[in-house]
Amino acid sequence: MSRLVVVSNRVADPRKSAAAGGLAVALSEALQSSGGLWFGWSGQISEADSGQGATVRLSRAGDTTLATLDLSQADHDAYYLGYANSVLWPVFHNRLDLAALERGDLDGYRRVNRLFAQRLAALLAPDDVIWVHDYHLIPLAAELRALGCSQRIGFFLHIPLPPPLLMAAIPQHEWLMRSLFAYDLVGFQSETDVAHFSRYVRQEGQAAQQGDDHFEAFGRSVRARCIPIGIDVAEFQALGTGREAREMGATLRAQHGTRSLIVGVDRLDYSKGLPQRLRAFRRLLQDYPENHGQTVLLQVAAPSREQVGAYAELRAELEALSGQINGEHGDIDWMPVRYLHRTVSRRRLPGLYASARVALVTPLRDGMNLVAKEYVAAQDPADPGVLVLSRFAGAAEQMTDALLVNPYDIDAVAQATQRALRMPLDERRIRHERLLAGLHRHDVHWWQREFLQRLSEPAHA
Ligand code: GDG
């Protein structure tokens, strides 16, 4: 069996899996069984031990080796805050207006990818299998190939791939897409992403698509497939039986009594559609006054990327909006919006989800969205809550038994929320049963096995 080498921007310590979440659990499972290596940024910024002088620190976590390196302040700012999170993230989420195209940031992005490749190449054995994750590291395989690495290399894009016209807003779009052809396999979250990839390479790369998932362009070939990520259903449900989740559930029930709880849990990010969601909740209170005193929206917005300007503005907008709604509609004994700008412990999340009659998962654009899946996994099958899900989340391709909505259409989201609040038990059970079956069929273990199986197949299978 070949050794698995995982490369991602950050390395999660698999020993802290309850904190790290399902992705870390799934990857560490594959890493442990092959005595693997996980390579990435340490999360530390250091001037002395970074850039060309950066040394790789090795540590052990069971049978897995963790290999991390520090970044200098300049590299971190240009690669992580700059090109990755102020160019690729907004454009890939259809927010051209937020893209900050600074030439120095591209240089930093290339420099850090080259540095990762140089340090990683020194640790590789000839028959290793390499799995690279996400938009921070698109050119990594090309850099490794330039150093003579001929191992099998796969790439999984966790975020959406935009349609060709939007992609073309990035001045280096051709270089980025050409970089993907240095991989043997590229995995996407949804069929929509694969269709965007296919259209791009046909239009811009004069590609020939040969067979289902095999593309030739730029004088090279790659396989590209939809391999949607799932969650670890069993792990998440087990978390739900733990003390912290049960206490969370009991606290919420005591606080809200007979009131219906609507929940939202997101990183505070403009892709998640949070202002639109709050406006839809305000519309619900305006159009369906029976919810007065009876319904509460609990929105957790976990702090994220606070050094990027667009995120600070969003935070201020959300705080103002929740204050307005509470001012307009609240009463002495009822606050319609509970807005929390903080992280809730992962062990308590299942209790929060289980107490909510409705979940609003309404991103404007999302690669997959794991909160939608976690909410379904946490429900009591005998009396389940209802998922209201954006049609622009990758999850909507699989979770067609949710109430699918256009998150920009405030009236429609308010109507769907009202329908979810009033949905009869029979219908809730049927929808939940089908959604849960889907979660089991395509869980995170399936995702990990499927990706590695496809990566191990010969190129012209
Ligand atoms: C990217 C893609 C894709 C959130 N708030 C808290 C908290 N969370 C956890 C959730 C969930 C995870 O973070 C968020 O996952 P998402 O899928 O919603 O979103 P991204 O972070 O944007 O992730 C996305 C994903 O990669 C995987 O491929 O689905 O589309 O954008 O697990 O539970 N966890 C804790 N406290 C919080 O307050 N502990």
Side-chain angles (χ1 to χ4, degrees), residues 178-374:
R178 185 192 289 266
S179 301
L180 289 177
F181 280 74
Y183 292 95
D184 296 290
L185 173 70
V186 176
F188 292 108
Q189 299 274 30
S190 69
E191 293 295 352
T192 303
D193 300 324
V194 177
H196 290 163
F197 178 76
S198 169
R199 263 173 51 208
Y200 182 95
V201 292
R202 268 186 284 126
Q203 286 169 11
E204 306 276 338
Q206 277 101 47
Q209 184 171 354
Q210 317 215 320
D212 250 11
D213 63 353
H214 177 210
F215 297 84
E216 289 193 0
F218 312 112
R220 286 184 257 173
S221 75
V222 72
R223 285 164 61 226
R225 297 185 67 84
C226 169
I227 308 178
I229 196 169
I231 62 163
D232 188 332
V233 182
E235 181 250 3
F236 201 73
Q237 289 180 339
L239 221 52
T241 62
R243 183 180 54 82
E244 288 162 75
R246 284 185 287 115
E247 280 175 8
M248 176 92 258
T251 306
L252 288 170
R253 277 190 299 278
Q255 281 172 358
H256 293 289
T258 57
R259 286 179 178 143
S260 298
L261 191 63
I262 301 176
V263 74
V265 174
D266 305 78
R267 277 189 309 102
L268 199 161
D269 193 290
Y270 49 77
S271 66
K272 304 292 182 186
L274 297 173
Q276 290 82 355
R277 187 181 306 168
L278 285 174
R279 289 193 192 100
F281 181 67
R282 175 160 65 190
R283 186 59 49 83
L284 175 85
L285 298 178
Q286 288 164 345
D287 290 357
Y288 305 95
E290 63 268 37
N291 288 302
H292 277 239
Q294 294 305 320
T295 306
V296 172
L297 170 64
L298 197 167
Q299 176 65 52
V300 177
S304 172
R305 301 176 197 165
E306 291 184 303
Q307 290 163 282
V308 178
Y311 290 74
E313 285 167 29
L314 176 64
R315 179 182 172 183
E317 184 182 1
L318 291 172
E319 284 167 3
L321 253 175
S322 357
Q324 279 168 22
I325 298 172
N326 283 337
E328 282 164 22
H329 295 279
D331 214 329
I332 304 275
D333 60 350
W334 171 61
M335 280 294 212
V337 178
R338 289 178 71 184
Y339 170 77
L340 304 182
H341 178 247
R342 78 172 65 113
T343 305
V344 172
S345 136
R346 186 170 166 76
R347 293 179 196 282
R348 297 167 78 189
L349 273 184
L352 173 56
Y353 293 140
S355 315
R357 174 53 71 216
V358 175
L360 289 181
V361 180
T362 53
L364 305 178
R365 193 76 185 103
D366 220 326
M368 174 56 63
N369 197 299
L370 297 180
V371 170
K373 298 189 172 186
E374 291 168 356

Side-chain angles (χ1 to χ4, degrees), residues 237 371-379 387 399 432 435-436 439:
Q237 289 180 339
V371 170
K373 298 189 172 186
E374 291 168 356
Y375 176 75
V376 169
Q379 297 308 299
L387 174 65
M399 305 183 82
H432 176 260
L435 287 168
L436 190 61
L439 293 195

